[in-house]
Amino acid sequence: MPQSEITTLEQFIVDQQALHVNADGSLSRIFRAIELAAKIVNRDVRKAGLIDILGEDGSINPHGEDQQKLDVIANNVFISALSRTKEVSMIISEENEGVVYVEGCENEKYIVAIDPLDGSSNIDVNVSIGSIFSIYQRSNPENNPSIDDCLQNGDRQVAAGYVFYGSSTMLVYTTGQGVNGFTLDDALQEFCLSHPQIKTPSEGGIFSVNEGNYQDFPTGIQAYIDYCKDPDKPTKRPYKARYIGSMIADFHRNLLKGGIFMYPSTNKSPNGKLRLMYECNPMAFIAEQAGGLASTGSMRVMELDPTELHQRCPLYIGSKNMVQKAVDMLHQYESVLVNR
Ligand code: AHM
Ligand code: MG
């Protein structure tokens, strides 16, 4: 592509803002902050093996200084970039137990939920990881900011996206008008539009799940996994099994190629592992905007009303027909158990 035809994220955001008569530029400023944080985290991820930022938080480096884990660094970078916009009153992060109130911004209308570095178990072994964000407006801007403002369901997201530190670095986001993907040009240090209006295939050929937990899954999901592996020419089964253990990487591949990602409930964890506000909801918004589905097994993910900041929920997400089939089988076996 000639350089003159490149659309940078910056340009794209300006163009989008121009389409909205009432846009006051606040959301654009938040996006710029996320873009900057993504570039800083990307720089640190790319040299993670060269400098002392891998490993356990709290350890002491040879200089007697505290060593910080990459996910703690990423958290600080995102929180500081978002705070500086002066547009965000509250931040919810996987790394912080409570709401982070941004000093001096009590009256601002935006709330951002982040998982600053998802896929932590892969950080130390040079496998793809990512950052996730989800943006809301406060439900009661006239009141003092509080946790109640933050506990909104996914349907109220204004925007959501992820940054994927893979073989290249990508930023994928939606504001409810489709999904667009930008790839970081290392030389220009600009995210450039590379995947406009992403649509996910309604039928896919990949299933992604931690099968180590198979014995602990609901019977219907065990049956669905067996179905995925069952040879059948017309439906092109067996499907391919792919599981990286970084949701963003698994989700992103399935989004482009067609597939299902599952993190079911287990006997041990009835709500699964993944967190609603900064893992499931943003991915659900993107999946639906790309023509896919996201379910907890009993409802659309984005309809689930959160009661806690770090609430978990089971997740079935990806190609429409695959998610529908998994959920149907889950219900089918549940009703057999109930009627027994
Ligand atoms: P994290 O936020 O601590 O990194 O946990 C979330 C990650 C997801 O990226 C991934 O899909 C899942 O945990 C993998 O979990 P498991 O190792 O149980 O399969
Ligand atoms: Mg996470």
Side-chain angles (χ1 to χ4, degrees):
M1 185 192 291
Q3 295 274 319
S4 58
E5 282 174 29
I6 288 175
T7 305
T8 63
L9 177 60
E10 178 80 25
Q11 186 57 49
F12 190 83
I13 290 169
V14 170
D15 292 349
Q16 294 296 306
Q17 194 188 324
L19 298 176
H20 296 95
V21 191
N22 295 325
D24 60 3
S26 335
L27 195 57
S28 305
R29 280 189 279 282
I30 296 175
F31 266 106
R32 276 191 208 106
I34 290 171
E35 182 184 4
L36 175 66
K39 286 178 188 171
I40 296 173
V41 173
N42 175 65
R43 185 196 62 195
D44 289 347
V45 166
R46 297 295 169 210
K47 59 184 184 190
L50 296 172
I51 55 176
D52 284 336
I53 51 178
L54 291 175
E56 293 300 313
D57 190 24
S59 53
I60 307 287
N61 71 15
H63 316 287
E65 297 158 339
D66 282 340
Q67 253 183 340
Q68 286 195 312
K69 274 204 298 188
L70 205 45
D71 41 12
V72 177
I73 293 176
N75 193 40
N76 293 338
V77 167
F78 271 93
I79 290 181
S80 123
L82 288 166
S83 303
R84 281 173 178 216
T85 62
K86 303 280 179 222
E87 303 288 352
V88 178
S89 55
M90 288 173 279
I91 300 167
I92 304 160
S93 167
E94 179 174 323
E95 299 293 331
N96 295 78
E97 203 176 321
V99 176
V100 176
Y101 293 94
V102 180
E103 225 183 292
C105 295
E106 294 73 18
N107 297 324
E108 301 310 329
K109 63 180 179 209
Y110 284 102
I111 301 167
V112 184
I114 52 170
D115 181 349
L117 216 51
D118 184 62
S120 345
S121 66
N122 281 327
I123 296 177
D124 289 357
V125 289
N126 203 9
V127 173
S128 302
I129 46 182
S131 307
I132 311 175
F133 60 92
S134 164
I135 305 175
Y136 291 84
Q137 286 197 353
R138 280 170 59 196
S139 38
N140 296 307
E142 57 286 345
N143 299 344
N144 286 334
S146 76
I147 187 170
D148 295 334
D149 272 342
C150 299
L151 298 175
Q152 302 184 37
N153 72 29
D155 273 334
R156 303 196 51 169
Q157 289 172 104
V158 175
Y162 58 85
V163 186
F164 175 29
Y165 314 102
S167 43
S168 59
T169 297
M170 281 192 75
L171 191 151
V172 177
Y173 84 93
T174 183
T175 53
Q177 275 136 351
V179 179
N180 291 288
F182 299 80
T183 302
L184 184 66
D185 181 311
D186 276 337
L188 298 176
Q189 273 302 296
E190 291 281 1
F191 282 100
C192 303
L193 183 62
S194 52
H195 296 65
Q197 286 298 323
I198 297 173
K199 288 288 167 214
T200 195
S202 53
E203 196 64 74
I206 300 172
F207 72 106
S208 310
V209 64
N210 182 346
E211 256 196 282
N213 296 329
Y214 179 92
Q215 297 295 344
D216 216 14
F217 287 155
T219 319
I221 294 307
Q222 291 177 343
Y224 179 69
I225 293 172
D226 296 345
Y227 167 88
C228 291
K229 298 198 278 193
D230 220 8
D232 176 60
K233 262 205 172 142
T235 52
K236 299 193 180 138
R237 284 178 290 140
Y239 299 145
K240 285 192 173 85
R242 294 282 185 273
Y243 190 70
I244 293 171
S246 280
M247 179 178 56
I248 295 176
D250 281 311
F251 175 87
H252 182 77
R253 180 203 52 241
N254 293 359
L255 180 74
L256 298 185
K257 296 198 167 205
I260 183 171
F261 173 88
M262 300 180 273
Y263 209 106
S265 57
T266 58
N267 294 326
K268 219 169 52 197
S269 314
N271 292 322
K273 172 183 183 184
L274 301 175
R275 322 287 173 117
L276 176 62
M277 297 215 55
Y278 41 79
E279 291 177 330
C280 302
N281 268 335
M283 296 320 219
F285 195 12
I286 289 172
E288 287 196 6
Q289 283 293 315
L293 288 182
S295 171
T296 65
S298 42
M299 65 198 298
R300 274 177 67 240
V301 168
M302 290 198 289
E303 282 173 8
L304 182 58
D305 287 322
T307 53
E308 292 168 34
L309 286 187
H310 300 286
Q311 185 169 329
R312 299 171 196 268
C313 74
L315 181 65
Y316 304 93
I317 191 166
S319 293
K320 205 173 177 169
N321 297 347
M322 296 180 89
V323 174
Q324 196 56 60
K325 178 92 185 163
V327 171
D328 287 349
M329 289 182 82
L330 180 65
H331 292 168
Q332 195 184 326
Y333 280 79
E334 266 170 8
S335 59
V336 170
L337 289 176
V338 168
N339 295 329
R340 215 181 252 172

